[in-house]
Amino acid sequence: MMMSKLLRFGRRQLHTIVSRDIIKPSSPTPSHLKTYNLSFFDQVAVNAYMPAVAFYRSSSIYQSSHEKTLELKNSLSHTLSQYYPYAGRLAKSCPTYVDCNDEGVEFIEARYDSTLSDFLQQSDHEDLDQLFPDDLIWFKSIKPQRS
C-alpha cells in the first residue's frame, strides 16, 4: 500500500525561481456561481494541497522564454474562468463549500541549468520535489514488499 503526503523539507537547490505570480481568472465568476458546494466525500476527505509541476521543452515557436511564459499565464487565466472553483478558497467559517472569489492560483516559473532530458534521465526523483511551491514536496512512503 502506498501512502503519500506533503512535507516541508529543506535541501540544496537545483533550480532558480524566475518569477512567482498569482494568476486570476480572465473574467469574473458570475454571482450565481460564487458558492461551490462540496460533496459529502469532499468534506470528509483529508485536506490536501495538490501542487502540479509542468515541464516545457525549448521551442522555436516563441521569440523568447518571456513570450512562452506570458502565453502560459494567459492560457491558465482563461482556464480558471471555466474551472472557477480552482481560483477560489475553501470557506473558513464553514468548510462545506468553496468560496469562488477569484483569488487565483500560484504560478511559479523556475529554470534548471541543464536540459530537460538530462534532468529527467539523470536526477533522482527526489529532485522533482524541489520544484514544488513553498518548499512543499511530494513524499511517498512505500510499505516494504514481502519476499
Side-chain angles (χ1 to χ4, degrees):
M1 178 175 178
M2 187 181 296
M3 187 168 136
S4 300
K5 55 187 167 182
L6 290 171
L7 299 173
R8 289 200 175 272
F9 200 78
R11 61 169 68 169
R12 65 188 175 100
Q13 189 135 348
L14 295 177
H15 62 282
T16 301
I17 300 295
V18 175
S19 67
R20 187 180 283 258
D21 296 309
I22 298 294
I23 306 299
K24 297 187 178 203
S26 60
S27 59
T29 301
S31 59
H32 70 283
L33 298 174
K34 288 287 189 183
T35 300
Y36 184 84
N37 293 317
L38 297 173
S39 71
F40 172 75
F41 295 109
D42 288 329
Q43 292 176 40
V44 297
V46 176
N47 289 338
Y49 179 64
M50 301 296 286
V53 175
F55 296 98
Y56 295 92
R57 292 185 185 274
S58 295
S59 170
S60 60
I61 295 173
Y62 301 99
Q63 294 292 326
S64 68
S65 62
H66 179 70
E67 285 182 12
K68 183 189 324 182
T69 301
L70 288 176
E71 173 105 7
L72 288 169
K73 289 178 178 180
N74 186 44
S75 177
L76 177 58
S77 179
H78 283 86
T79 301
L80 289 173
S81 293
Q82 299 296 313
Y83 297 93
Y84 52 91
Y86 289 106
R89 300 294 183 267
L90 192 60
K92 292 178 183 175
S93 60
C94 182
T96 60
Y97 68 94
V98 174
D99 180 12
C100 302
N101 54 17
D102 299 331
E103 284 189 28
V105 298
E106 188 171 21
F107 181 95
I108 299 173
E109 179 185 6
R111 296 212 195 279
Y112 185 68
D113 293 335
S114 186
T115 65
L116 176 59
S117 58
D118 286 346
F119 176 76
L120 294 174
Q121 290 174 2
Q122 296 174 5
S123 65
D124 294 330
H125 292 287
E126 291 176 350
D127 295 340
L128 295 173
D129 297 335
Q130 297 179 39
L131 300 176
F132 288 117
D134 297 326
D135 300 324
L136 291 173
I137 65 169
W138 189 251
F139 176 78
K140 296 179 182 176
S141 59
I142 302 171
K143 188 176 179 179
Q145 297 179 348
R146 291 182 233 161
S147 304

